[in-house]
């Protein structure tokens, strides 16, 4: 998979795109421009276009340039969180009366944004199984403006065929949004498969070290990119310089981290399929996973997220989370350290009672890059 702009391999782009040496000192890493405003050379005389750091900041520009290249897009805009990016996207593209098709499995906070926030402004939504293009097509109304997809999805690791849905979206004249947080652009590039907008929680694999919260939107259409950048400034939830710098640093090792996340996750998933107390393992790398073939077609690897269901219901699932030692009990994902959580009571409490409700006996793992043997031993002792 090569970057469509530069012709260089992904690993090269990850390290170099946007990371031009500082012209004054030659520093090989972009400085943290911890600054709010810029001296003007006479009224309106802006140096390199910088005026005020909500509108633009050189460290954020470096990150946005990098993100656009990684996703094979033309424009990226970076935000203070993944949800800030989503909010900006929805308020840029939707008006009262518009309708969005949302997936039947998604991050709880994304669902909450639709169900509790934008719905108050007259935006309507309905839920579809996005792994079934016919079901999505049937949910489209004349007011539909967006189809929203997460693949792999959070927390059930469902797989949507991006190219098939892009076709559904194109024939209906609506835009396809893909939340690429679980895959990262190293494993999957939705724009090349026909999606219109890529969403990221950079808090996860892009940052990769559980030390920053951030979000991004990436598009191939420059007019849409300009519109989003206008609203990014108008709404104001921008990524700060230090956060931008941390994500930029994390991205340099994204390919090697993702390879190891995938290797470890595949060993953990395989071990879980053979454990007598595990009733179901959800990992797109397993041949029996319903989305396995589609994932193999559109992804370079299967990622680091694994979910599983246990014998004994909710209490048993909570007990496994409590007993893990190498896996840290906590929300979030995508860092080098392994995390374990109970989606029903934690990340997905906000979908309780909705069409997106998650099984009570479900445990979600963010498999880190520690020794796979230690991770498997930890899960065995937690389950036994
Ligand atoms: N999208 C997905 C798939 C997520 O898992 C999350 C957070 O967990 C978000 C979006 C929201 O991102 P953030 O927490 O950075 O606001």
């Amino acid at each position: 998979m090569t970057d469509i702009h530069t012709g260089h391999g992904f690993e090269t782009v990850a390290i170099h795109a946007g990371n031009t040496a500082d012209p004054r000192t030659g520093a090989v890493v972009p400085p943290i421009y911890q600054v709010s405003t810029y001296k003007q050379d006479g009224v309106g005389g802006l140096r390199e276009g910088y005026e005020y750091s909500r509108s633009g900041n050189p460290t954020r520009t470096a990150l946005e340039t990098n993100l656009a290249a990684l996703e094979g897009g033309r424009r990226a805009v970076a935000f203070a969180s993944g949800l800030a990016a989503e909010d900006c996207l929805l308020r840029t593209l939707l008006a009262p009366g518009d309708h969005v098709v949302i997936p039947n499995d998604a991050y709880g906070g994304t669902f909450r944004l639709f169900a509790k926030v934008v719905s108050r402004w007259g935006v309507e939504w309905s839920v579809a199984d996005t792994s079934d293009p016919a079901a999505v097509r049937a949910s489209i109304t004349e007011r539909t403006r967006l189809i929203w997809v997460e693949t792999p999805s959070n927390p059930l690791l469902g797989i949507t065929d991006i190219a098939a849905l892009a076709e559904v979206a194109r024939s209906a004249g609506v835009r396809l949004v893909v939340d690429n947080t679980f895959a990262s652009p190293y494993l999957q590039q939705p724009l090349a498969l026909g999606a219109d907008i890529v969403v990221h929680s950079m808090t996860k694999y892009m940052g990769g070290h559980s030390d920053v919260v951030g979000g991004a939107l990436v598009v191939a259409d420059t007019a849409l990119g300009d519109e989003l950048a206008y609203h990014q400034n108008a709404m104001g939830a921008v990524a700060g310089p230090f956060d931008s710098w941390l994500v930029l640093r994390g991205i340099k090792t994204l390919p090697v981290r993702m390879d190891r996340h995938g290797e470890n996750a595949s060993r953990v998933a395989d071990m879980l399929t053979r454990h007598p107390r595990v009733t179901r393992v959800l990992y797109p790398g397993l041949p029996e996973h319903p989305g396995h073939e589609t994932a193999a077609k559109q992804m370079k690897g299967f990622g680091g997220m694994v979910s599983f269901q246990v014998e004994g219901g909710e209490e048993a699932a909570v007990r496994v989370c409590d007993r893990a030692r190498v896996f840290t009990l906590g929300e979030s994902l995508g860092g080098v350290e392994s995390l374990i959580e109970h989606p029903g009571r934690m990340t997905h409490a906000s979908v309780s009672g909705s069409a997106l409700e998650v099984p009570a006996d479900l445990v979600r793992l963010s498999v880190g890059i520690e020794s796979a043997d230690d991770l498997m031993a930890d899960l065995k002792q937690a389950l036994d």
Side-chain angles (χ1 to χ4, degrees), residues 90 99-107 110-115 118 123-130 136 139 144 146-150 354-356:
L90 297 180
H99 171 262
V100 184
V101 179
I102 65 169
N104 63 353
D105 186 44
Y107 169 56
T110 297
F111 175 71
R112 184 178 54 205
L113 185 61
F114 282 105
V118 293
V123 170
E124 293 177 4
W125 50 274
S126 54
V127 176
D129 174 1
T130 56
V136 174
S139 309
T144 304
L146 296 177
I147 299 170
W148 192 284
V149 166
E150 267 183 28
S354 79
L356 281 75

Side-chain angles (χ1 to χ4, degrees), residues 80-84 86 106-107 109-110 150 152-154 179 181-182 199-204 213-215 332-333 347-348 364:
S81 71
L83 281 178
E86 295 182 16
Y107 169 56
T110 297
E150 267 183 28
S153 64
N154 183 1
D179 183 330
T181 299
F182 268 35
V199 172
H200 274 289
S201 168
M202 301 191 299
T203 316
K204 312 297 171 4
V213 173
S332 201
L333 59 111
T347 49
H348 289 70
R364 190 190 77 181

Side-chain angles (χ1 to χ4, degrees), residues 81-82 107-109 154-155 157 181-182 200-215 261 304-307 321 327-343 345-349 363-368:
S81 71
Y107 169 56
N154 183 1
L157 282 310
T181 299
F182 268 35
H200 274 289
S201 168
M202 301 191 299
T203 316
K204 312 297 171 4
Y205 289 107
M206 305 295 261
H209 296 76
S210 306
D211 53 11
V212 62
V213 173
H261 281 297
M305 298 300 296
V306 179
S307 293
C321 295
F327 280 83
T328 301
L329 176 59
E331 306 210 352
S332 201
L333 59 111
V336 292
E337 58 287 292
S338 294
L339 297 176
I340 190 167
E341 68 124 0
H342 183 262
R345 291 197 192 171
M346 295 169 66
T347 49
H348 289 70
V363 175
R364 190 190 77 181
L365 304 175
S366 171
V367 180

Side-chain angles (χ1 to χ4, degrees), residues 31-355:
I32 304 166
Y33 282 90
Q34 194 67 45
V35 61
S36 60
T37 193
Y38 306 82
K39 178 183 184 302
Q40 303 196 3
D41 298 323
V43 174
L46 307 182
R47 297 186 199 172
E48 299 186 28
Y50 293 105
E51 169 181 46
Y52 182 64
S53 278
R54 172 164 34 72
S55 324
N57 174 281
T59 318
R60 196 174 87 221
T61 304
L63 172 63
E64 292 175 339
T65 305
N66 183 278
L67 292 169
L70 288 187
E71 286 287 2
R74 293 216 162 66
R75 185 81 184 252
V77 275
F79 294 86
S81 71
L83 281 178
E86 295 182 16
D87 179 40
C88 179
L89 175 62
L90 297 180
R91 287 195 286 147
T92 301
L93 295 183
L94 301 176
D98 287 347
H99 171 262
V100 184
V101 179
I102 65 169
N104 63 353
D105 186 44
Y107 169 56
T110 297
F111 175 71
R112 184 178 54 205
L113 185 61
F114 282 105
K116 305 282 186 206
V117 182
V118 293
S119 60
R120 290 177 50 217
W121 306 104
V123 170
E124 293 177 4
W125 50 274
S126 54
V127 176
D129 174 1
T130 56
S131 70
D132 177 0
V136 174
R137 192 176 294 114
S139 309
I140 293 174
T141 73
E142 59 189 24
R143 296 309 307 259
T144 304
R145 297 286 172 268
L146 296 177
I147 299 170
W148 192 284
V149 166
E150 267 183 28
T151 184
S153 64
N154 183 1
L156 297 177
L157 282 310
I159 298 293
T160 291
D161 186 330
I162 297 173
L165 272 211
E167 193 45 51
V168 170
R170 209 175 7 255
S171 61
V174 310
R175 285 181 165 129
L176 176 64
V177 181
V178 176
D179 183 330
N180 205 25
T181 299
F182 268 35
S184 90
Y186 176 61
L187 298 183
Q188 173 173 281
Q189 295 179 316
L191 298 179
L193 297 167
D196 298 288
I197 299 141
V198 170
V199 172
H200 274 289
S201 168
M202 301 191 299
T203 316
K204 312 297 171 4
Y205 289 107
M206 305 295 261
H209 296 76
S210 306
D211 53 11
V212 62
V213 173
L217 303 172
V218 191
V219 296
D221 174 345
T222 45
L224 176 58
D226 289 346
E227 211 183 330
L228 291 169
Y230 174 85
H231 285 87
Q232 176 198 36
N233 178 51
M235 293 171 188
V238 295
F242 185 52
D243 289 354
S244 298
W245 185 88
L246 279 172
V247 177
L248 205 47
R249 183 168 78 148
I251 286 172
K252 291 178 208 286
T253 56
L254 179 70
V256 287
R257 285 189 285 106
M258 291 313 292
D259 282 344
R260 179 62 73 86
H261 281 297
E263 281 163 31
N264 283 1
S266 140
R267 288 187 63 193
V268 164
D270 191 49
M271 182 279 281
L272 290 171
T273 58
R274 282 179 280 107
H275 197 285
R277 296 209 43 229
V278 173
T279 54
R280 187 165 166 232
V281 183
L282 303 166
Y283 182 61
L286 294 171
E288 61 269 29
H289 186 287
H292 177 68
E293 274 178 30
T294 304
K297 182 181 72 174
Q298 69 189 14
M299 297 176 77
K300 188 181 156 132
F302 302 104
M305 298 300 296
V306 179
S307 293
F308 62 99
Q309 288 169 269
V310 292
E311 209 176 73
E314 179 166 9
E315 291 314 316
V318 168
R319 215 163 28 244
V320 171
C321 295
D322 286 342
R323 289 173 53 117
R325 292 292 168 263
V326 181
F327 280 83
T328 301
L329 176 59
E331 306 210 352
S332 201
L333 59 111
V336 292
E337 58 287 292
S338 294
L339 297 176
I340 190 167
E341 68 124 0
H342 183 262
R345 291 197 192 171
M346 295 169 66
T347 49
H348 289 70
S350 57
V351 301
S352 169
S354 79

